[in-house]
Amino acid sequence: MDLKRVVVTGIGALTPLGNSVPDYWHGLINGVSGANPITLFDASKFKTRFACELKHFDPTNFLDRKEARKMDRFTQTALVCSDEAVKDAGISKETVNPDRVGVIFSSGIGGLITFQEEVTEFAKGDGTPRFNPFFIPKMILDIAAGRISMRHGFRGPNYAVVSACASSTHAIMDAFNLIRLGKADIILAGGSESVIKEAGVGGFNAMKALSERNDDPLTASRPFDKDRDGFVIGEGAGMLILENLEHALARGANIVCEIAGAGATADAHHITAPHPEGLGAKNVMFATLQDAGMKPEDIDYINVHGTFHSIGRHFGGKSHSNRFWRTCLSSEYQLHQVNDRASAGRCRSNRGHSLCHGSKK
């Protein structure tokens, strides 16, 4: 069968650098850091006392107060982000076939804040169960996708993808594949995360994963620096509207870009450390290029994951150099020269690590 071409027709972003796509982009190009002392809980006794929190975000400015209380923060951010993306794409259940519009939305952890709050309250009692009836619906990973579909009336494929830091990337990949197979016309894809809470920060501190550069939080998020000491935890949401090219052209949509291919692999090596030879990273680039029908010299930019912590330091020294990436690509394809203009980077230096938003390949 002939595969459909897939394009992006809408974008939404709610980030520590800004609560909209224009504000986020402005922060990125101006080198703004989203790191500040933690305000979402008292972190005075924690090894890490800073994070990349959302700024001036009040969910009740966008959501009904009663409904907002039925949602974890990761779902609240997902809904607000979806509003911007849907508006940007110019779609609604009245202007497109809602049965052909899906939502594939991810989270690395889900409702951790809700889980902590409910279990903490139970532990304070005498053992009598007094749980919020929305405890489980607030906590489960796929509730964000469900809430988004209910908010906008879209009845196509609806589910969550979870694969830690690659969750959002895999959500986009699944959406891409479903559309090119003709299973949907449009899919809202992306992810949200909000775990800046005692359990989240404390858990990552216990793993020695977070930066403890409390004296200089603005420069603590430094994935390529030899003196990096861990990642800076962040929060937020991001969404792309993926659409069948023919469908987008027929309705006169603004086309941002085209998605040419996708790939997914595993290191099969360690629960946190990357393979010392970077096999997973190399293999996923090979698979993606093959899927897209492209060659290494076609690539201008690579957005990498950029591990911050010491367990990734040996591999990081290799993988984060442009020469390494070009060597990986050229060795497989036996090319003498690949695109010398290609560069590698990542925006996590500015907005922190929001867990489900890994590198987008």
Side-chain angles (χ1 to χ4, degrees):
M1 63 177 295
D2 292 331
L3 297 177
K4 310 291 186 182
R5 293 173 64 183
V6 181
V7 295
V8 174
T9 56
I11 308 175
L14 182 59
T15 81
L17 303 185
N19 296 346
S20 66
V21 171
D23 289 344
Y24 177 44
W25 180 244
H26 181 269
L28 282 177
I29 63 175
N30 286 282
V32 175
S33 171
N36 290 104
I38 291 173
T39 66
L40 293 174
F41 71 94
D42 180 4
S44 59
K45 295 182 179 180
F46 284 70
K47 292 180 179 179
T48 296
R49 297 185 291 278
F50 63 94
C52 287
E53 298 179 348
L54 296 176
K55 312 297 189 297
H56 313 295
F57 174 67
D58 181 352
T60 60
N61 289 337
F62 308 93
L63 308 171
D64 176 78
R65 183 177 297 273
K66 185 177 180 181
E67 287 301 307
R69 292 181 59 190
K70 300 175 183 178
M71 306 175 199
D72 188 90
R73 186 174 171 92
F74 93 100
T75 303
Q76 295 170 350
T77 60
L79 289 181
V80 173
C81 178
S82 75
D83 286 351
E84 182 183 22
V86 167
K87 182 179 179 181
D88 187 43
I91 59 174
S92 70
K93 62 181 180 181
E94 287 78 26
T95 60
V96 296
N97 181 354
D99 294 327
R100 297 280 298 171
V101 182
V103 181
I104 303 178
F105 206 76
S106 70
S107 180
I109 296 178
L112 182 67
I113 293 176
T114 293
F115 182 80
Q116 177 186 312
E117 291 174 347
E118 290 293 326
V119 172
T120 298
E121 286 302 311
F122 175 73
K124 290 178 180 178
D126 61 3
T128 303
R130 294 187 179 91
F131 291 100
N132 187 315
F134 291 97
F135 174 21
I136 301 302
K138 289 172 67 175
M139 184 187 69
I140 56 175
L141 267 165
D142 66 340
I143 192 64
R147 285 282 189 178
I148 291 168
S149 70
M150 292 164 60
R151 185 171 180 83
H152 299 287
F154 298 144
R155 299 190 294 263
N158 187 283
Y159 59 91
V161 173
V162 56
S163 48
C165 309
S167 297
S168 293
T169 304
H170 286 155
I172 294 169
M173 182 180 72
D174 273 15
F176 167 66
N177 284 327
L178 284 180
I179 293 173
R180 66 176 175 171
L181 289 172
K183 305 296 184 181
D185 295 328
I186 301 173
I187 296 182
L188 288 60
S192 63
E193 203 80 75
S194 188
V195 296
I196 303 176
K197 195 72 170 175
E198 291 89 342
V201 174
F204 282 113
N205 267 155
M207 294 172 62
K208 308 294 183 184
L210 294 182
S211 170
E212 299 177 13
R213 205 178 296 272
N214 295 294
D215 59 336
D216 191 13
L218 293 180
T219 67
S221 189
R222 47 175 77 185
F224 303 116
D225 195 281
K226 65 181 180 64
D227 295 322
R228 63 192 182 276
D229 69 329
F231 71 82
V232 178
I233 196 167
E235 63 172 348
M239 176 177 284
L240 299 179
I241 307 293
L242 275 61
E243 187 168 352
N244 177 333
L245 173 61
E246 294 179 2
H247 188 274
L249 291 173
R251 69 180 187 88
N254 176 50
I255 296 174
V256 179
C257 65
E258 180 175 3
I259 299 179
T265 62
D267 279 341
H269 173 66
H270 188 273
I271 63 169
T272 54
H275 192 282
E277 296 302 320
L279 291 183
K282 288 197 294 184
N283 290 342
V284 78
M285 287 192 289
F286 300 155
T288 304
L289 285 170
Q290 184 178 35
D291 187 49
M294 299 173 70
K295 297 179 180 180
E297 58 262 38
D298 298 323
I299 305 303
D300 296 308
Y301 177 74
I302 304 168
N303 189 8
V304 303
H305 184 272
T307 54
F308 293 77
H309 37 75
S310 58
I311 58 175
R313 195 162 283 172
H314 171 69
F315 172 65
K318 293 183 187 177
S319 68
H320 296 157
S321 73
N322 295 342
R323 181 178 300 174
F324 172 79
W325 292 113
R326 291 198 292 267
T327 301
C328 286
L329 294 171
S330 61
S331 62
E332 175 73 8
Y333 286 86
Q334 298 181 340
L335 297 175
H336 297 293
Q337 184 70 39
V338 295
N339 189 355
D340 279 332
R341 295 181 293 105
S343 59
R346 57 126 49 273
C347 48
R348 189 180 294 172
S349 303
N350 304 77
R351 60 167 172 76
H353 182 10
S354 47
L355 307 187
C356 75
H357 304 132
S359 55
K360 307 296 187 289
K361 298 178 177 68

